Amino acid sequence: MSSITLRFLAEPSTVNFGGKVHGGTVMKWIDEAGYACATSWAKRYCVTVSVGSIRFQRPIMIGDLVEVEARLAYTGTTSMNISVEVRAGDMKVGQMQVITECLVVFVAVDLDGKALPAQEWRPETPGDVALAQRVKAHLDAARAMQPA
């Protein structure tokens, strides 16, 4: 499986003092969806290596329906790059809005914690191809900025 969407209601136990869902809770949901996607692809235990920039575009309110969609975007030698988009909205209005999106990198590991080779993922749809190209360009740019 190369994608997964978690859906649930934002509960009162997830809010901060301002009455909105904690940003840290949203980051936990992102990691959980990414883990589910990576693990279902690798068929092994996976760990988070990095999370790209997260910018919250609007708050999530108690009672909002939340969708956290994780899609495999690119595979390297050992890494699985997962694109995660969080959407939320009031079910009475029936409109979901993007809350945030980011790129999360996972690797499958053996019992000693050593990274295992990633099964290659090949994009099939035009949207998947475009996403894979964007992620590859981002990775290439990040590598070019690292000191030699």
Side-chain angles (χ1 to χ4, degrees):
M1 180 180 345
S2 63
S3 69
I4 188 167
T5 302
L6 306 180
R7 290 183 182 94
F8 47 87
L9 296 175
E11 298 178 340
S13 63
T14 62
V15 298
N16 59 26
F17 295 110
K20 293 155 180 92
V21 172
H22 283 278
T25 299
V26 177
M27 290 188 283
K28 177 180 179 272
W29 296 337
I30 288 168
D31 192 53
E32 290 171 345
Y35 171 82
C37 183
T39 300
S40 67
W41 180 257
K43 305 290 189 268
R44 295 188 176 268
Y45 176 67
C46 295
V47 296
T48 308
V49 173
S50 68
V51 179
S53 60
I54 297 174
R55 179 179 170 86
F56 296 103
Q57 298 173 23
R58 76 168 201 82
I60 299 174
M61 308 304 288
I62 293 174
D64 278 357
L65 178 64
V66 179
E67 294 180 342
V68 185
E69 181 183 16
R71 297 181 353 179
L72 195 54
Y74 183 80
T75 52
T77 305
T78 58
S79 63
M80 292 167 282
N81 294 262
I82 311 288
S83 173
V84 181
E85 182 177 272
V86 179
R87 298 176 294 270
D90 183 341
M91 292 180 296
K92 295 181 292 297
V93 176
Q95 207 171 18
M96 302 292 279
Q97 295 180 323
V98 173
I99 303 302
T100 191
E101 54 193 337
C102 64
L103 188 66
V104 186
V105 179
F106 285 86
V107 295
V109 295
D110 64 16
L111 294 175
D112 295 321
K114 183 178 178 187
L116 297 167
Q119 175 186 337
E120 182 183 6
W121 176 76
R122 294 186 183 157
E124 295 177 1
T125 68
D128 287 345
V129 170
L131 178 61
Q133 289 172 342
R134 282 195 312 270
V135 170
K136 175 81 166 79
H138 171 78
L139 293 171
D140 289 345
R143 286 185 188 115
M145 293 179 64
Q146 292 178 349

